[in-house]
Amino acid sequence: MTSTTQSTTTSLESYGRDNTARPRQDAPAVSNPDNVLLASQAADSTVPDGGYGWAVLFGCSVLTFWFVGTTYSWGIIQAALISQKLSSPSTLSFVGSLITACISALALINARVIRLLGARNTALLGVCFLALGEILSGFSTRSIGGLFVTAGVVMGVGTSLCFMVVSVTPAQYFSKKRGLANGIVYAGGGLGGTIISLAMNSVIEKVGPAWTFRILGLATLATGLPAAWLIKERSPIRSATFVEWRLFRDFKFVMLFIAGAVATFPLFVPPFFLPLYSSSLGLSSNAGAGLVAGFNFASAVGRLICGFGADLIGPLNTLFISLLFSAASMLVVWPVSNSLGPLVAFVIINGAANGGFFATMPTVVGTVFGSARVSVAMGMIVTGWAGGYLMGAPIAGYLLEAYGGEHGTLMAYHPAMFYAGSMALGASGLVGLIRLHIDRRVLTKL
């Protein structure tokens, strides 16, 4: 089968001239490997698994600290804006969802931007857009339409650029430790969510939402730009294709595409609605912020554990387990969390499982479809997340309003919980199908 994707490294080019190159022996078995996959496995054997890669990981982690941490703390500022009667929970959650929806809507374009500008310049551009959106949002806290533009679109563009950079660059420096590398990168986002959510609540109480946005933007610029400068590729990321359509003839790719699309619907429901749910329990805003911080800290730990697990038992196995735990926590634990104790248990379990999805997906794509096409394949898969990113949390908001609203009983939240849990369970089933399609032996590392 002839590859439609050019090599991304000189070692891949040499592989094309030398058919004696062999894939790594510890690479997972795949059905009907193509030339790009074989070339990727050959090139992975020359990856340093460290070196300057650690500096790149640090830079990527700082970026995820800001763009992931800010997104996962949206529920804090959302609750403050609701208390100011700016708009309803469903509408404000739509603004937060638009930020993440840009990751999907612009995924293929951003993959091309990285190939044209390079990872460093793309990261610098992403940080500038993210910070600009935050600063401008400080002038839009009395206008829901303005927030859709400044927070939803401008911050969304910055978030999407940063996301693609941190998703495709570490693969050039890590092979055997690729899962751990991605786990470290995305753990930065969990740590960011922990710190930002706690700080944001305190700052909102002292200076209000407007100056909170502005301070967030200035802090993003001050630390994000130096971190972005650390990021660079080992070799230019090049590809002859914008979309590799033949991947849609691969059962594994189609199932992973659908699984990712389904899995993104419930991901932001807990962090967006925990502050409102805790308020319904009679807890203070500080307690709500603490729960979101705990969720993000559990997410950071989960990202590290799942990154290590991807190297130990395989990325597909790890992805399946994380989605299964996410579903179980929302279907079993959250509905009976009518006091602080069970709610803390839910926050820990769901936060860890939630983080595992983001930490594991780039490793799955690179391992199953080849590191040489990771930017194209990842861009295609992330594009499928648009529906979940955009409508996942707002659907939960609409269900909440339909069954009594945030000021109703705790039962009003149950339909949203069961909707989110069912979507996570469906996604875990699809990943399980991919796993069994590749190898029916349960204990095989995949």
Side-chain angles (χ1 to χ4, degrees):
M1 180 164 49
T2 303
S3 168
T4 62
T5 305
Q6 292 180 346
S7 164
T8 63
T9 64
T10 54
S11 56
L12 295 188
E13 293 169 358
S14 63
Y15 175 82
R17 296 190 297 267
D18 182 6
N19 292 329
T20 63
R22 298 179 182 177
R24 285 172 38 235
Q25 295 301 313
D26 60 343
V30 291
S31 302
N32 301 319
D34 57 29
N35 290 345
V36 176
L37 181 56
L38 290 173
S40 300
Q41 293 169 347
D44 286 348
S45 63
T46 68
V47 169
D49 266 321
Y52 189 76
W54 295 114
V56 171
L57 286 192
F58 176 77
C60 289
S61 296
V62 173
L63 262 59
T64 58
F65 179 97
W66 288 114
F67 81 81
V68 174
T70 303
T71 303
Y72 270 79
S73 301
W74 179 259
I76 305 297
I77 206 160
Q78 173 180 281
L81 294 172
I82 290 172
S83 68
Q84 291 185 355
K85 309 298 183 184
L86 176 64
S87 191
S88 66
S90 58
T91 302
L92 282 167
S93 66
F94 208 109
V95 176
S97 296
L98 186 57
I99 299 173
T100 53
C102 287
I103 293 176
S104 300
L106 302 175
L108 292 174
I109 295 174
N110 289 338
R112 181 55 60 94
V113 170
I114 291 177
R115 293 194 290 273
L116 292 175
L117 300 181
R120 174 180 290 166
N121 291 332
T122 303
L124 291 169
L125 186 63
V127 170
C128 289
F129 267 100
L130 179 61
L132 178 64
E134 291 165 343
I135 293 170
L136 292 177
S137 294
F139 300 95
S140 306
T141 54
R142 299 292 179 181
S143 168
I144 187 65
L147 274 181
F148 267 105
V149 176
T150 58
V153 177
V154 181
M155 284 179 62
V157 170
T159 296
S160 67
L161 288 166
C162 292
F163 177 85
M164 191 56 68
V165 169
V166 304
S167 293
V168 305
T169 310
Q172 290 203 353
Y173 291 91
F174 295 89
S175 178
K176 293 180 180 180
K177 299 177 182 177
R178 185 173 295 161
L180 180 60
N182 284 319
I184 291 172
V185 167
Y186 284 96
L191 182 61
T194 304
I195 296 173
I196 292 171
S197 57
L198 290 174
M200 184 181 286
N201 188 67
S202 298
V203 176
I204 287 173
E205 290 180 347
K206 292 179 181 178
V207 300
W211 270 104
T212 300
F213 269 124
R214 294 167 193 153
I215 292 170
L216 196 60
L218 293 173
T220 300
L221 274 179
T223 58
L225 290 177
W229 188 259
L230 291 174
I231 299 172
K232 66 177 182 179
E233 309 98 327
R234 283 179 64 231
S235 58
I237 299 175
R238 298 191 181 98
S239 175
T241 60
F242 190 59
V243 178
E244 195 170 340
W245 294 107
R246 70 186 183 89
L247 282 174
F248 283 106
R249 297 199 296 267
D250 187 329
F251 175 82
K252 302 185 297 296
F253 183 84
V254 172
M255 287 296 101
L256 189 61
F257 182 91
I258 297 173
V262 173
T264 50
F265 275 86
L267 286 178
F268 292 98
V269 173
F272 278 22
F273 289 91
L274 273 172
L276 292 177
Y277 186 78
S278 64
S279 178
S280 297
L281 286 177
L283 302 175
S284 66
S285 62
N286 286 331
L291 287 169
V292 175
F295 178 93
N296 284 302
F297 183 76
S299 176
V301 175
R303 292 164 200 247
L304 285 173
I305 292 174
C306 287
F308 179 76
D311 293 331
L312 185 65
I313 64 174
L316 266 175
N317 292 330
T318 305
L319 180 61
F320 172 75
I321 292 170
S322 68
L323 287 171
L324 197 60
F325 270 89
S326 178
S329 67
M330 288 186 282
L331 292 173
V332 178
V333 183
W334 199 5
V336 299
S337 298
N338 52 10
S339 63
L340 185 59
L343 189 56
V344 169
F346 164 75
V347 162
I348 293 172
I349 298 170
N350 188 262
N354 189 302
F357 173 83
F358 291 106
T360 309
M361 186 61 80
T363 311
V364 171
V365 173
T367 301
V368 177
F369 304 106
S371 58
R373 59 157 65 96
V374 68
S375 63
V376 174
M378 192 69 189
M380 292 168 66
I381 285 175
V382 170
T383 299
W385 300 356
Y389 273 159
L390 186 62
M391 294 304 301
I395 287 174
Y398 295 138
L399 287 171
L400 175 60
E401 290 177 10
Y403 286 87
E406 70 272 18
H407 300 300
T409 66
L410 294 180
M411 294 293 291
Y413 289 87
H414 283 189
M417 296 173 185
F418 294 137
Y419 140 73
S422 298
M423 297 298 280
L425 186 62
S428 67
L430 290 170
V431 174
L433 282 177
I434 303 170
R435 169 67 180 76
L436 293 175
H437 175 77
I438 295 176
D439 195 322
R440 293 183 180 274
R441 292 172 296 177
V442 177
L443 300 180
T444 302
K445 175 182 176 181
L446 278 176

mmCIF file of all heavy atoms in Angstrom, residues 13 53 112 153 182 229 237 376:
data_model
loop_
_atom_site.group_PDB
_atom_site.id
_atom_site.type_symbol
_atom_site.label_atom_id
_atom_site.label_comp_id
_atom_site.label_asym_id
_atom_site.label_seq_id
_atom_site.Cartn_x
_atom_site.Cartn_y
_atom_site.Cartn_z
ATOM 1 N N GLU A 13 13.113 9.473 5.770
ATOM 2 C CA GLU A 13 13.527 9.538 4.379
ATOM 3 C C GLU A 13 14.503 8.424 4.045
ATOM 4 O O GLU A 13 14.425 7.778 3.001
ATOM 5 C CB GLU A 13 14.167 10.896 4.117
ATOM 6 C CG GLU A 13 13.144 12.048 4.213
ATOM 7 C CD GLU A 13 13.815 13.399 4.207
ATOM 8 O OE1 GLU A 13 15.075 13.417 4.172
ATOM 9 O OE2 GLU A 13 13.111 14.418 4.233
ATOM 10 N N GLY A 53 14.411 17.197 24.791
ATOM 11 C CA GLY A 53 12.990 16.890 24.912
ATOM 12 C C GLY A 53 12.415 17.271 26.264
ATOM 13 O O GLY A 53 11.236 17.629 26.365
ATOM 14 N N ARG A 112 -1.754 22.509 9.743
ATOM 15 C CA ARG A 112 -1.050 23.128 8.622
ATOM 16 C C ARG A 112 -0.240 24.344 9.086
ATOM 17 O O ARG A 112 0.868 24.592 8.582
ATOM 18 C CB ARG A 112 -2.061 23.517 7.535
ATOM 19 C CG ARG A 112 -1.463 24.162 6.285
ATOM 20 C CD ARG A 112 -0.380 23.304 5.654
ATOM 21 N NE ARG A 112 -0.847 22.004 5.247
ATOM 22 C CZ ARG A 112 -1.269 21.712 4.020
ATOM 23 N NH1 ARG A 112 -1.305 22.657 3.100
ATOM 24 N NH2 ARG A 112 -1.637 20.480 3.715
ATOM 25 N N VAL A 153 -14.228 33.115 21.085
ATOM 26 C CA VAL A 153 -13.506 33.013 19.807
ATOM 27 C C VAL A 153 -12.020 33.327 19.957
ATOM 28 O O VAL A 153 -11.169 32.515 19.573
ATOM 29 C CB VAL A 153 -14.140 33.937 18.750
ATOM 30 C CG1 VAL A 153 -13.338 33.883 17.449
ATOM 31 C CG2 VAL A 153 -15.585 33.541 18.484
ATOM 32 N N ASN A 182 3.557 12.538 27.386
ATOM 33 C CA ASN A 182 2.255 13.177 27.207
ATOM 34 C C ASN A 182 1.544 13.363 28.542
ATOM 35 O O ASN A 182 0.840 14.358 28.751
ATOM 36 C CB ASN A 182 1.384 12.354 26.251
ATOM 37 C CG ASN A 182 1.799 12.516 24.804
ATOM 38 O OD1 ASN A 182 2.122 13.613 24.364
ATOM 39 N ND2 ASN A 182 1.800 11.433 24.051
ATOM 40 N N TRP A 229 8.901 29.820 23.796
ATOM 41 C CA TRP A 229 10.194 29.952 23.128
ATOM 42 C C TRP A 229 11.049 28.689 23.304
ATOM 43 O O TRP A 229 11.921 28.407 22.472
ATOM 44 C CB TRP A 229 10.941 31.170 23.673
ATOM 45 C CG TRP A 229 12.195 31.492 22.913
ATOM 46 C CD1 TRP A 229 13.475 31.211 23.262
ATOM 47 C CD2 TRP A 229 12.272 32.138 21.639
ATOM 48 N NE1 TRP A 229 14.362 31.645 22.303
ATOM 49 C CE2 TRP A 229 13.645 32.223 21.287
ATOM 50 C CE3 TRP A 229 11.324 32.665 20.756
ATOM 51 C CZ2 TRP A 229 14.085 32.811 20.105
ATOM 52 C CZ3 TRP A 229 11.761 33.252 19.577
ATOM 53 C CH2 TRP A 229 13.112 33.320 19.260
ATOM 54 N N ILE A 237 8.122 19.581 10.817
ATOM 55 C CA ILE A 237 6.943 18.739 10.635
ATOM 56 C C ILE A 237 6.376 19.024 9.258
ATOM 57 O O ILE A 237 5.845 20.104 9.004
ATOM 58 C CB ILE A 237 5.891 19.021 11.724
ATOM 59 C CG1 ILE A 237 6.476 18.720 13.096
ATOM 60 C CG2 ILE A 237 4.626 18.210 11.490
ATOM 61 C CD1 ILE A 237 5.564 19.075 14.252
ATOM 62 N N VAL A 376 -1.393 14.954 11.158
ATOM 63 C CA VAL A 376 -2.560 14.829 10.278
ATOM 64 C C VAL A 376 -3.650 14.014 10.947
ATOM 65 O O VAL A 376 -4.819 14.415 11.005
ATOM 66 C CB VAL A 376 -2.162 14.196 8.929
ATOM 67 C CG1 VAL A 376 -3.395 13.921 8.079
ATOM 68 C CG2 VAL A 376 -1.203 15.100 8.176
#
